[in-house]
Amino acid sequence: LDVYKNAAAEHLFGCDDCQAVCPYNRGRVARSSRDEARHAPDERWASADLVALLGLDDEGFRAFTHGSPLHRATRGGLVRNAALLLGTRRDPDALGALARVVTEDPDPGARDAATWAIARIRTVETAASATGEVRAGDGPADASDDGS
């Protein structure tokens, strides 16, 4: 798992890195705007919700990856990477979905990544509590808000 934690950084899947180092692509430039458009990032990945990806079943994975190189990844690997990204980002809104991965996901790599992400997020929350910091949305309602 450690090798993935460091390698994933802010990548859900390695397509960007693969394109950059692929010997076939080295030195190639788009010949037309049609070529550029054909190789532009797919919107379904640009707008992917990491928390939603944690709950992908096999059918959802096939639909999400249909017609792309991403189908070579496994559902468990994609869930693992989504969990690692959420842990790296320390996203407390993901805790419930991460807990479901730990208890329900059949992939051991995904479960390990979700366990790590939960611990990392809770470490930040514990540190904030110890220092008296309050995250947005965690404190008492603004006294100036009279509800009208």
Side-chain angles (χ1 to χ4, degrees):
L1 184 63
D2 286 340
V3 70
Y4 294 115
K5 286 188 283 191
N6 295 326
E10 276 296 314
H11 294 280
L12 180 61
F13 188 70
C15 289
D16 294 337
D17 293 334
C18 291
Q19 292 297 324
V21 300
C22 177
Y24 179 75
N25 291 336
R26 190 164 295 137
R28 292 185 66 134
V29 294
R31 293 183 300 270
S32 69
S33 61
R34 183 173 174 257
D35 275 351
E36 275 187 37
R38 195 175 86 182
H39 296 290
D42 193 305
E43 180 57 33
R44 65 185 144 171
W45 301 309
S47 62
D49 178 353
L50 295 175
V51 172
L53 291 179
L54 294 177
L56 275 182
D57 59 12
D58 288 336
E59 184 178 328
F61 174 76
R62 282 190 297 277
F64 184 70
T65 61
H66 179 74
S68 78
L70 193 58
H71 76 274
R72 291 188 306 248
T74 62
R75 186 209 57 81
L78 190 64
V79 172
R80 177 200 63 219
N81 289 358
L84 292 174
L85 281 171
L86 290 164
T88 299
R89 294 177 182 177
R90 295 183 166 146
D91 184 351
D93 295 333
L95 285 169
L98 288 164
R100 280 188 294 283
V101 171
V102 170
T103 60
E104 299 172 12
D105 200 282
D107 187 88
R111 291 192 307 269
D112 288 347
T115 300
W116 173 83
I118 290 168
R120 185 168 166 99
I121 294 166
R122 287 192 175 148
T123 299
V124 170
E125 289 184 333
T126 302
S129 295
T131 61
E133 294 177 22
V134 177
R135 284 190 352 243
D138 285 350
D142 186 341
S144 65
D145 183 7
D146 63 1
S148 54

